[in-house]
Every structure is written in structure tokens, then in C-alpha cells.
Amino acid sequence: MKDLGLLIKNIEDRARNLKVKLLRYESENSRLADEKVRLQAIIGQQDGQIRQLEEKIKMLKIAQGLGKGKDTTRAKLKINELIREVDKCINLLNK
């Protein structure tokens, strides 16, 4: 009978320990989920900044190409490329 009582107490202790671990893991999981959302927001902001900087770089390259004066065909090609991109955007907006 004593062995049965010890066995039951042992099982109860393990169950309590498992419950404590479960609560700890649930709390950690919740914290990690919150951190994931926060980090995804940061990534979204940084992606936006990257796109803006890439556009600035593109515009600077175009401005440098236009400012040289001796390479007018290259400038004309860039302008035509920009016009095609704007036309594509307009077509997408009209759909």
C-alpha cells in the first residue's frame, strides 16, 4: 500500500511539474509571438526605406547622366525608359 501511495504522489508531483513547465512555455510562446510581430513591422519599415533609397539612387544616376551633356543619347534612352515605366503604371491603374 505504501508503494502505491508513493507511486501516486510521484505521479502527482510530475503532473504539477509538467503544469508549471506548460505555463512557462505558453508564456514564452506568447512573448515570442509578440516579438515576431514587432520584428515583422520593423522589416516592413526597412523594406520601405530600402525601396525609397533605391529610387533615390536611380534618380541620382539619371540626374548624373543628364548633367554630363555629352551623352545625350544615353539620357534620351533613360527618359524613354522612364516614360515606358510611367505608361505601365498608368495602364495598371486603369485596369
Side-chain angles (χ1 to χ4, degrees):
M1 205 56 165
K2 280 185 173 181
D3 290 338
L4 184 59
L6 287 173
L7 186 60
I8 291 173
K9 180 155 176 40
N10 190 8
I11 291 172
E12 288 173 345
D13 289 342
R14 286 183 180 180
R16 269 192 292 278
N17 288 338
L18 287 174
K19 187 175 181 180
V20 168
K21 285 182 180 180
L22 174 66
L23 293 173
R24 190 177 328 133
Y25 290 142
E26 285 174 342
S27 173
E28 179 72 7
N29 190 30
S30 176
R31 185 189 67 77
L32 290 173
D34 292 342
E35 185 176 355
K36 177 185 173 188
V37 169
R38 183 183 65 81
L39 292 173
Q40 285 174 333
I42 290 172
I43 288 171
Q45 291 172 347
Q46 289 176 344
D47 284 344
Q49 288 174 344
I50 288 170
R51 274 187 245 108
Q52 288 175 349
L53 291 172
E54 286 173 343
E55 281 298 314
K56 285 183 182 180
I57 289 170
K58 190 175 180 180
M59 296 307 286
L60 285 172
K61 286 180 180 179
I62 292 169
Q64 288 173 348
L66 292 175
K68 290 182 180 175
K70 45 187 162 177
D71 195 8
T72 56
T73 50
R74 183 174 174 223
K76 287 179 183 178
L77 290 174
K78 282 291 187 185
I79 291 171
N80 287 335
E81 179 185 337
L82 288 173
I83 290 171
R84 282 192 298 275
E85 285 185 38
V86 169
D87 287 341
K88 285 180 187 177
C89 291
I90 290 170
N91 286 334
L92 287 175
L93 289 173
N94 287 333
K95 288 184 180 183

